[in-house]
Amino acid sequence: MEYLSHKLTDYILKKEIIKQDSYDIYQYGFQCFLEISVSTICSIVIALLLHMLPECLFFFLLFIPMRSFSGGLHLKTYFSCFLASIFVLISTLLVVKYIAVPIIVSLILYIFFAILILVIGPVDHPNREVDSHDNHIFMRKTYLTVLFSLLTAIIFSVIGNAKYMFLQAVIFLFIGITALIGRILYKKN
């Protein structure tokens, strides 16, 4: 992605659309756009192949904000992160597709990992220094996302939607595990 983002930035620099002093900003923007686009397109293609697009969209609805605000394990390269993310998505969708779990079991699993995530708190990554103010904001956004997910868990439990309750539990299981691994790996001395 870095190679393509440099080529795109070189092209718009050559066409004099940008100036040299803006090169790094545009290159970074192109790289982020390409990485997010490839990940999103691959995820949607996988969901379509599994006939699980609604489940994939619900996965995105919870997974993306929870990982963004609560932090956790971060891999060193885009490619390793991409592969891990695809593995998590495929694993989640396949488990939910082929395993049926009673709502009460899913609810207990969800509550356990939601509490674990809240207890661990935002996990700082060494490459992204944040201060206490940033951590407070991340924690507040994590609380709001957990509150939203709790409301959906209650709705799924009340209406008896075992599939989506289990999906939510598996999402929180993966987020909780990566948060715990990140906390252990990045613990400040």
Side-chain angles (χ1 to χ4, degrees):
M1 293 304 153
E2 189 173 350
Y3 174 79
L4 286 175
S5 65
H6 278 291
K7 287 295 184 187
L8 288 169
T9 310
D10 289 342
Y11 177 78
I12 62 172
L13 180 65
K14 186 178 176 181
K15 293 287 186 180
E16 297 180 353
I17 296 171
I18 63 167
K19 296 184 186 211
Q20 182 64 42
D21 60 348
S22 300
Y23 185 92
D24 290 339
I25 295 168
Y26 278 88
Q27 185 274 322
Y28 179 74
F30 279 131
Q31 185 171 339
C32 290
F33 172 77
L34 289 169
E35 290 173 355
I36 290 169
S37 297
V38 166
S39 297
T40 303
I41 290 167
C42 286
S43 297
I44 290 173
V45 167
I46 289 166
L48 290 171
L49 290 172
L50 293 173
H51 306 287
M52 297 185 76
L53 185 59
E55 293 87 351
C56 180
L57 296 176
F58 184 72
F59 176 91
F60 287 157
L61 182 68
L62 291 181
F63 191 84
I64 292 171
M66 283 301 297
R67 276 289 284 149
S68 298
F69 304 137
S70 67
L73 175 66
H74 289 276
L75 302 175
K76 292 182 181 183
T77 66
Y78 164 74
F79 188 67
S80 60
C81 180
F82 171 76
L83 290 178
S85 297
I86 293 300
F87 171 77
V88 168
L89 176 67
I90 291 171
S91 299
T92 300
L93 294 178
L94 288 176
V95 164
V96 169
K97 186 172 188 166
Y98 293 112
I99 298 175
V101 174
I103 289 178
I104 190 67
V105 173
S106 296
L107 188 59
I108 291 168
L109 186 65
Y110 158 75
I111 290 170
F112 174 80
F113 281 103
I115 291 170
L116 177 69
I117 292 164
L118 294 175
V119 167
I120 291 173
V123 178
D124 298 335
H125 185 269
N127 293 342
R128 183 178 180 220
E129 293 295 321
V130 293
D131 58 22
S132 61
H133 176 71
D134 292 334
N135 268 337
H136 177 71
I137 291 170
F138 290 150
M139 196 66 205
R140 197 173 66 219
K141 289 181 178 184
T142 299
Y143 283 145
L144 287 172
T145 307
V146 170
L147 177 62
F148 170 77
S149 72
L150 179 61
L151 294 174
T152 60
I154 291 168
I155 291 169
F156 294 148
S157 297
V158 169
I159 67 172
N161 192 328
K163 183 178 185 178
Y164 274 83
M165 188 61 242
F166 185 46
L167 174 58
Q168 190 163 335
V170 175
I171 292 168
F172 271 74
L173 176 139
F174 275 117
I175 294 168
I177 289 171
T178 59
L180 187 59
I181 293 169
R183 175 62 70 206
I184 292 167
L185 290 177
Y186 311 133
K187 189 170 179 120
K188 294 180 180 175
N189 297 330

